[in-house]
């Protein structure tokens, strides 16, 4: 569920040994991210760590191997984003972003998602919903991305595509809609994401626990919505209306109700996160690139507080 640099290097070895000239990434978001990282590694020298935003990596990325992306889940939107997220050899889970990493072609075929189990349909769907919400709340100005984010929320929640896909995996219209929501979410988060993703990346770096990214986002989103309300609450009515709710609706509570309805965990504790892990998680989240576009940029202490709340709620 979380691609690592070891797997990237192994795939790159196969690429070189077979004199390949491109990459077809087929599968969920982790598979697509792995494919992007392979396209980078076979054309660039250096550890993947050197290409992260923390190391001014985008400026080091030139042309990569051509990439075709074929998603079989509807969540990350990696098929249309310029980023890949990989667990590095140093143990960190970091984003690498460049326009060069955009796939040359994306194929969205709803039939490829028909057999995705309900829980994974739910978790990946909430990943896409989180992308739309956090992108809209990002302080970066981009009205077009904002419109795409709200349209994605409308399709997923107001039009019930997420619930319909979870309840009936063979519902072609719902599956097609959720693929579009996934892609729209990734188009929208050209504005950046927020604290939900910073915390999710921190939890997802543990390769023994192998926690699912979309599930983490679903669990953490209500907590972060409550935290961000003072700084970005003026944007909440637009989100509520896009979700098919009254503009004064409690967004965090509504997300919690959806989570319960589709079988998501109630807190991080039930996923295996303990209070002893919090200091390390907080340190990782504080320097995650997505923290920079949260409505409130948090320091380590801020994330310590949020992670402790996430264990209790």
């Amino acid at each position: 569920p979380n691609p690592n640099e070891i797997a990237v290097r192994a795939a790159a070895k196969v690429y070189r040994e077979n004199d390949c000239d491109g990459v077809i990434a087929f599968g969920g978001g982790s598979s697509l991210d792995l494919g992007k990282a392979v396209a980078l590694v076979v054309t660039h020298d250096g550890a993947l760590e050197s290409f992260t935003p923390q190391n001014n990596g985008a400026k080091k990325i030139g042309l990569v191997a051509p990439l075709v992306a074929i998603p079989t889940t509807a969540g990350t939107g990696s098929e249309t984003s310029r980023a890949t997220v990989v667990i590095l050899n140093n143990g960190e889970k970091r984003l690498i972003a460049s326009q060069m990493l955009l796939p040359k072609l994306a194929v969205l075929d709803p039939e490829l998602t028909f057999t995705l189990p309900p829980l994974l349909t739910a978790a990946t769907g909430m990943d896409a919903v989180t992308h739309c919400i956090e992108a809209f709340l990002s302080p970066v100005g981009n009205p077009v991305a904002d419109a795409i984010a709200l349209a994605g929320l409308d399709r997923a929640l107001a039009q019930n595509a997420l619930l319909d896909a979870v309840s009936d995996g063979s519902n072609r219209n719902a599956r097609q809609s959720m693929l579009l929501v996934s892609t729209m979410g990734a188009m929208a988060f050209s504005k950046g994401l927020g604290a939900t993703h910073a915390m999710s990346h921190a939890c997802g770096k543990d390769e023994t626990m192998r926690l699912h990214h979309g599930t983490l986002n679903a669990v953490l989103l209500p907590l972060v919505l409550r935290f961000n309300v003072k700084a970005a609450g003026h944007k909440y009515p637009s989100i509520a209306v896009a979700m098919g709710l009254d503009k004064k609706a409690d967004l965090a509570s509504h997300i919690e109700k959806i989570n319960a309805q589709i079988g998501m965990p109630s807190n991080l504790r039930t996923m295996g996160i303990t209070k002893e892990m919090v200091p390390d998680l907080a340190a990782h989240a504080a320097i995650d690139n997505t923290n920079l576009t949260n409505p409130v940029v948090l320091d380590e202490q801020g994330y310590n507080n949020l992670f402790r709340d996430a264990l209790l709620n």
Side-chain angles (χ1 to χ4, degrees):
N2 296 289
N4 60 34
E5 188 166 351
I6 294 173
V8 171
R9 300 289 175 186
K13 182 174 182 289
V14 174
Y15 183 105
R16 294 189 178 101
E17 287 176 348
N18 290 276
D19 195 26
C20 298
D21 55 15
V23 177
I24 298 175
F26 181 90
S30 294
S31 300
L32 304 192
D33 279 3
L34 178 71
K36 288 181 179 179
V38 172
L40 172 64
V41 163
V42 297
T43 51
H44 293 70
D45 295 326
L48 281 178
E49 180 182 0
S50 66
F51 299 106
T52 63
Q54 290 82 359
N55 290 299
N56 206 20
K59 293 185 177 179
K60 304 172 187 176
I61 300 176
L63 289 174
V64 303
L67 176 71
V68 175
I70 307 173
T72 61
T73 67
T76 69
S78 185
E79 70 277 357
T80 190
S81 81
R82 57 189 174 88
T84 178
V85 182
V86 180
I87 298 175
L88 307 175
N89 283 342
N90 64 9
E92 297 178 348
K93 184 175 183 180
R94 294 299 180 200
L95 175 147
I96 298 170
S98 167
Q99 292 291 337
M100 297 297 181
L101 295 178
L102 280 169
K104 299 295 185 184
L105 175 69
V107 179
L108 306 183
D109 182 349
E111 293 185 13
L112 296 177
T113 66
F114 280 5
T115 57
L116 191 68
L119 275 178
L120 276 177
T121 299
T124 54
M126 284 305 297
D127 191 19
V129 166
T130 303
H131 290 162
C132 291
I133 291 175
E134 288 212 301
F136 186 76
L137 294 178
S138 162
V140 174
N142 189 328
V144 175
D146 285 342
I148 293 171
L150 294 179
L153 290 174
D154 174 82
R155 187 177 288 269
L157 300 178
Q159 298 181 40
N160 290 318
L162 174 57
L163 293 179
D164 288 346
V166 172
S167 62
D168 179 8
S170 63
N171 184 326
R172 186 184 181 89
N173 288 336
R175 290 295 197 183
Q176 180 68 50
S177 284
M178 286 312 299
L179 276 173
L180 291 172
V181 173
S182 178
T183 291
M184 293 164 80
M187 293 172 70
F189 72 59
S190 60
K191 289 182 61 185
L193 291 163
T196 303
H197 273 77
M199 297 172 75
S200 179
H201 290 161
C203 295
K205 69 185 177 69
D206 189 321
E207 295 198 82
T208 60
M209 300 182 72
R210 300 176 68 83
L211 298 176
H212 184 263
H213 174 70
T215 306
L216 286 165
N217 280 343
V219 171
L220 291 164
L221 180 59
L223 176 81
V224 174
L225 281 170
R226 292 190 174 102
F227 175 81
N228 282 333
V229 67
K230 289 185 179 180
H234 60 286
K235 294 184 176 182
Y236 284 25
S238 296
I239 295 174
V241 171
M243 290 167 56
L245 307 173
D246 182 87
K247 66 180 181 180
K248 295 182 180 179
D250 183 332
L251 293 182
S253 294
H254 188 70
I255 294 296
E256 286 173 338
K257 290 178 182 177
I258 294 174
N259 282 343
Q261 188 173 355
I262 61 179
M264 293 294 96
S266 58
N267 56 45
L268 290 184
R269 187 180 65 256
T270 61
M271 298 182 71
I273 300 294
T274 67
K275 63 181 180 180
E276 290 77 18
M277 300 176 184
V278 167
D280 176 65
L281 297 176
H284 190 282
I287 59 171
D288 192 276
N289 204 53
T290 59
N291 182 42
L292 299 177
T293 45
N294 193 62
V296 179
V297 178
L298 290 93
D299 58 13
E300 277 191 45
Q301 186 55 52
Y303 278 112
N304 261 287
N305 295 337
L306 278 183
F307 273 116
R308 292 184 184 280
D309 289 343
L311 290 172
L312 298 174
N313 289 346

